[in-house]
Amino acid sequence: MAQRFTAARHHVSASMEARESERGASRQDPVEGREQQPEAEEGQEESEEALRGRKKRVVPGIVYLGHIPPRFRPLHVRNLLSAYGEVGRVFFQPEDGFVRRKKKKAAASASGGKKRSKYSKDYTEGWVEFRDKRVAKRVAASLHSTPMGARRRSPFRYDLWNLKYLHRFTWSHLSEHLAFERQVRRQRLRAEVAQAKRETDFYLRSVERGQRFLAADEDSTRPEGSWAFAQRPTEQELRARKAARPGGRERSRLANAQDQARSNRGLLARIFGAQQLSENMEEPSLGRNS
């Protein structure tokens, strides 16, 4: 009996301990859950920041350089602007060939032709690409209208930056623009060459026609050695032909007398008036009747 009682007692105590342990575990679980929640939130924030960093990728930006001083090269602009950010591609538009030849000729005439003039190739405008467009915006806003050379001995000390950030402009747009300008220049050159060819052909045809006319003038077989064309007779020739007909001289004399009388009457009417002229013409007629 005593053994059974002790066994039952041990069983009851074990069950009570198990219940107490379960209660303690249930009390500790909410605390651990609360501690694990901030850890999960921190992990989510880190993942969101990583996604944002991926979304915020680096976009290149292009700055337009409107003024390029003489002897200014892409290496100079790269060295000057690389201090503000990473510089990518640089392109300078060379000046027109006609302007270049004109400047070279002027430099040769200024030197007197004794020495070979040293003429450097100049540029009109340029484009500079930055790796980050934010750096490009900052550079264009801060360096605009400021001296290019910071040192006193710099040859570009008295030249000012003329920078402008090109919004939503990529390097492919620049390539397309340059290709379009190249095509337009070629078409203009073709049109000028075709126009010059037409003028040359017209001049050669005119020269050949003139030579044929001169050869026809020198030909003795042609009548009177002149060109074959019909000239319209003048008024004097027509009158002479009419006078040469039988009875034409009298007709021509009457016509001339009538024309002269008409001209005299018109002149007298203008001088004395129409009424006085009519009265004077009636008086002689009355005298004759009397």
Side-chain angles (χ1 to χ4, degrees), residues 105-242:
K105 188 176 180 181
S109 63
S111 63
K114 296 180 180 179
K115 297 181 180 179
R116 189 175 180 181
S117 60
K118 294 182 179 180
Y119 174 73
S120 62
K121 184 179 179 181
D122 293 334
Y123 301 92
T124 57
E125 54 186 355
W127 290 265
V128 182
E129 183 186 29
F130 285 88
R131 189 172 180 272
D132 192 354
K133 67 177 183 180
R134 292 172 292 182
V135 177
K137 290 180 182 178
R138 197 182 305 116
V139 168
S142 60
L143 293 183
H144 183 63
S145 299
T146 59
M148 286 185 173
R151 300 178 181 178
R152 293 182 179 178
R153 295 184 179 180
S154 176
F156 316 112
R157 177 177 175 78
Y158 299 102
D159 293 302
L160 302 179
W161 287 107
N162 187 2
L163 302 176
K164 182 181 180 181
Y165 174 72
L166 301 178
H167 186 61
R168 293 183 180 179
F169 189 82
T170 60
W171 201 262
S172 59
H173 296 160
L174 176 61
S175 302
E176 292 174 1
H177 176 69
L178 295 175
F180 175 74
E181 285 187 349
R182 212 175 295 118
Q183 189 69 19
V184 169
R185 197 180 300 109
R186 288 176 183 173
Q187 290 180 358
R188 193 187 302 117
L189 183 61
R190 287 176 193 156
E192 291 177 358
V193 170
Q195 181 67 19
K197 190 175 180 181
R198 285 195 295 270
E199 292 177 358
T200 304
D201 294 341
F202 177 75
Y203 175 74
L204 293 175
R205 286 197 300 270
S206 301
V207 170
E208 291 177 359
R209 193 182 298 114
Q211 290 177 355
R212 286 200 300 270
F213 288 153
L214 292 175
D217 265 344
E218 295 174 358
D219 191 3
S220 60
T221 60
R222 271 183 97 80
E224 298 179 359
S226 61
W227 300 341
F229 62 87
Q231 177 67 37
R232 185 177 179 180
T234 61
E235 189 176 356
Q236 294 178 357
E237 290 177 355
L238 292 173
R239 288 181 179 179
R241 288 178 186 177
K242 289 180 181 180

Side-chain angles (χ1 to χ4, degrees), residues 14-30:
S15 62
M16 290 176 68
E17 289 177 358
R19 288 176 183 176
E20 289 179 357
S21 62
E22 288 177 0
R23 289 176 183 175
S26 63
R27 290 175 182 174
Q28 291 178 358
D29 285 338

Side-chain angles (χ1 to χ4, degrees), residues 32-44:
E32 292 177 357
R34 291 174 184 173
E35 292 178 355
Q36 290 176 359
Q37 285 179 358
E39 294 178 357
E41 290 177 357
E42 290 178 359
Q44 291 178 358

